[in-house]
Each structure stands twice: as structure tokens, then as C-alpha cells.
Amino acid sequence: MFDYPTLKVIWWLLIGVLLIGFAIMDGHDMGVGTLLPFVGKTDDERRVMINTIGPHWDGNQVWFITGGGAIFAAWPLVYATAFSGFYWAMLAVLWALFFRPVGFDYRSKIQNATWRNVWDVGLFIGGAVPPLIFGVAFGNLLQGVPFHFDNFMVVTYTGTFWQLLNPFAILTGVVSSAMITMHGGIYLAHRTEGAVQERATNAATGAAIVAVVAFIAAGVWLHAGSIEGYVITSAIDPAGLANPMAKSVARTADAWWRNYQAQPLLWALPAIGVIGPLLAVVLSRAGRTLTAFVLSSLGLAGIITTAGASMFPFVLPSSSMPGASLTVWDSVSSHFTLGLMFWAAIIFTPIIIAYTSWCYRVMRGKVTVEHIRANEHSTY
């Protein structure tokens, strides 16, 4: 069995893996939904797009559900604080996601243009809103969230929903939205042909450029020093129990860059975040769509891990009481809980990956307009 400090780091890594898995697997579903009104010009073309993700979208939600459950079990203080502070934002995500199951199930039940157009709007909302909000949330994490604990360790959030929509957070929201849209476009290029494939490739190209430019701009904004990061200034006990108030934290302009200064190899992460999307669209335009999808996935992983590596060991910094900031060391569950969850993850994660891979292999191939027309009652 691993010791307590090691398990704390392992679960930081595992939750990062779950977030990346969610971005890659459910992200391309959301990207296709975001592109639905723009790439699909006719009802048949939109049905082609929907049928590329229809058999898989609900299975891909496992990454989202598992990630939320892992945060609840491994980081209970983070879960409680984040869902208190981001309550309305998370509720907006759930409201948007409600459109997906009913949209997939009911869109093609009636052959009526108005009926189908309404569900298309719903699928667009379900695909476009969550990535935007998740990106805005990450932007607020980098700036710090206004919360504090009282003497009884009861958390109080002092911000408002509209404070979340600050300029830097909107920029990170653009990064998130653009990278997911790019990822969906690359996936569409792999699963379709003809006009839909061409439009999807063009959309992915534009989204990749926006994602890379916005990602670099966010990094420059942080490096300029106008957004202060967080650094622990007191001794910490990595093997200690959860007690976020037992440390001192200072805010400095270079805090989010210190891990990169200490470990130069970490610069590979933002490099992958920039190079991956650009190479993905180049290969997609050259017809090598499967390799492009892999590189697109690496690009998403690079962008997400860049944020995680910058903030480590912080998970949820507090702007109103820096000393109450939640970190990998002081916001976790017990040693026994982390150990039990670790073995559950070791057993079930490979099973999920193997089953998902098998499903995609069985249902591989192009989805065409001819196929849609020939299988009117067996497709979405």
C-alpha cells in the first residue's frame, strides 16, 4: 500500500486523467453538437453528424460522472466548496446537458422541419454551453475564488455569478470552447465524407487557430503579472490530515510560473497544447484524420495539464482568505479512503477503456447521407 503523501499525489494525477478523458471522449461529442447548425446545411447532413456520435455519447458521459464522483470522494472539501461557489454555473451546465438525451431520442421521431430544428438548437446548447462554462471556471481558479472558512470549518462563498464572468475567465472560456469545437470538427472529418467532411475540416481549422491564439494570450496575460498566483510560505506536512487552515499562503506575480522554473521539462505541456491542434488540422486537411484525432486529443491534454501543472499543489485557491486555499495536501479524504479508491480505479478504469475501444472499433467507418436515407427508421 502507498503511503498517504504518495496517494494524495496519485489522486491528483488520477483526477487529472479523468478530466482529460472527459475532454477527449465527451468533448468530441460536444464539439459535434456545437458545429451542428453550421456544418450541417440540410436535415440529412445534420442526421449524418448526429449519427457519428449517437451510439457513443451516453457512454462517454461516464468520464464526466466518474470525475465528479472522484472529486466528491477524494477531495470532499473541494467538492463542497466548488459546488457552493459555482452553484449557478454548475446548474447552467446541467440545464444545458438536459437537452442532449431528449434531443438524441426525440429529434427524428417526427418528420417535421420545425420539430427537428428546435431539437437541433437544443443539441447545440448542450454541446456549446458546458465547455464554455468549464473554461470560465478554470479561469477563475487561476485568479482565486472568494471563499473562506469560519471557526467551525463551514465554508462561505462571497462572490456572485456575474463576478465569474470577468475578462480573463472569458478568455479561458474561449480557449475551452474553441479546443472542444476543434476536437469535434476533427472527429467529424474522420467519420464523414463529402461536403460535411470539408466543412468540418474548415471549422476545425478555424477553431484550432482561435484555441491556440487564446491559449497563448492567456499565458502572456498570466506572465505579465496582472494576475497574482499563490504560493505556500509555511511548512506543510504532506502526511497530515485535512486541515486547510494550518498553513500560510502568499500571493505573488510569478507564483504560477515557479513549477516551470523548477522543472523545465514541464514546458513540454504548453508546447503540446500549441503544436497538437496545429498539426491536427494540417493532417486532417491531408486526409490523415485518425492521426489528426490523436494529435487533437494530445492538444487538449496539453492545454489542461498546463493549467494543472501551473497550480500544483493548489486545487482551489481562495482570493478572500489565501490561507484557506485548498491544496493536494490538505483537502483530501483519509488514507484508507484514498487507498480503497485507488484499487477500484486500477481495476475498473482499464475495463472502461477496453469496452469503449471495442465499441468504437465495432461502429467504426464513415456515416454517409446514403446510409441515413437507406436506414430511415434505424438511425437518429
Side-chain angles (χ1 to χ4, degrees), residues 340-356:
L340 184 65
M341 289 172 56
F342 170 77
W343 291 113
I346 290 297
I347 294 171
F348 289 105
T349 303
I351 294 175
I352 294 172
I353 293 174
Y355 174 73
T356 302

Side-chain angles (χ1 to χ4, degrees), residues 42 135 314 363:
T42 66
F314 289 91
M363 288 177 273

Side-chain angles (χ1 to χ4, degrees), residues 24 179 182-184 186 276-277 280 291-301:
I24 292 173
M179 73 180 190
M182 176 267 302
H183 197 50
I186 296 292
T291 306
F293 184 77
V294 173
L295 286 169
S296 176
S297 301
L298 287 175
L300 266 62

Side-chain angles (χ1 to χ4, degrees), residues 80-302:
T81 305
F83 276 75
S84 173
F86 296 148
Y87 178 79
W88 287 108
M90 293 301 176
L91 206 57
V93 169
L94 291 177
W95 285 338
L97 291 176
F98 289 159
F99 287 107
R100 301 182 75 198
V102 290
F104 284 115
D105 285 343
Y106 289 106
R107 182 194 183 278
S108 295
K109 297 294 184 183
I110 299 176
Q111 292 186 356
N112 178 275
T114 301
W115 170 271
R116 294 186 173 185
N117 289 337
V118 168
W119 289 119
D120 288 344
V121 173
L123 290 172
F124 167 75
I125 293 172
V129 171
L132 178 63
I133 292 180
F134 289 140
V136 168
F138 262 98
N140 280 278
L141 290 181
L142 288 165
Q143 297 174 89
V145 180
F147 70 88
H148 64 270
F149 294 102
D150 62 17
N151 293 333
F152 299 98
M153 287 302 294
V154 175
V155 65
T156 300
Y157 175 75
T158 57
T160 67
F161 172 79
W162 300 111
Q163 286 179 312
L164 299 176
L165 302 177
N166 55 79
F168 180 77
I170 292 175
L171 177 61
T172 57
V174 170
V175 175
S176 177
S177 180
M179 73 180 190
I180 293 301
T181 302
M182 176 267 302
H183 197 50
I186 296 292
Y187 179 76
L188 273 179
H190 179 62
R191 292 297 310 279
T192 61
E193 58 184 27
V196 174
Q197 184 184 55
E198 182 180 355
R199 294 191 206 109
T201 301
N202 291 336
T205 302
I209 294 172
V210 172
V212 169
V213 170
F215 179 53
I216 294 173
V220 171
W221 195 332
L222 285 175
H223 194 269
S226 58
I227 296 177
E228 293 181 328
Y230 295 73
V231 60
I232 298 174
T233 57
S234 61
I236 58 172
D237 180 11
L241 298 177
N243 183 11
M245 303 301 294
K247 65 181 182 303
S248 298
V249 175
R251 301 194 66 176
T252 63
D254 67 337
W256 291 150
W257 298 95
R258 292 192 176 188
N259 288 336
Y260 291 94
Q261 294 168 358
Q263 301 291 336
L265 285 177
L266 290 177
W267 284 103
L269 300 177
I272 293 172
V274 171
I275 296 172
L278 296 178
L279 283 180
V281 296
V282 170
L283 290 174
S284 179
R285 300 186 77 87
R288 299 177 60 182
T289 53
L290 181 58
T291 306
F293 184 77
V294 173
L295 286 169
S296 176
S297 301
L298 287 175
L300 266 62

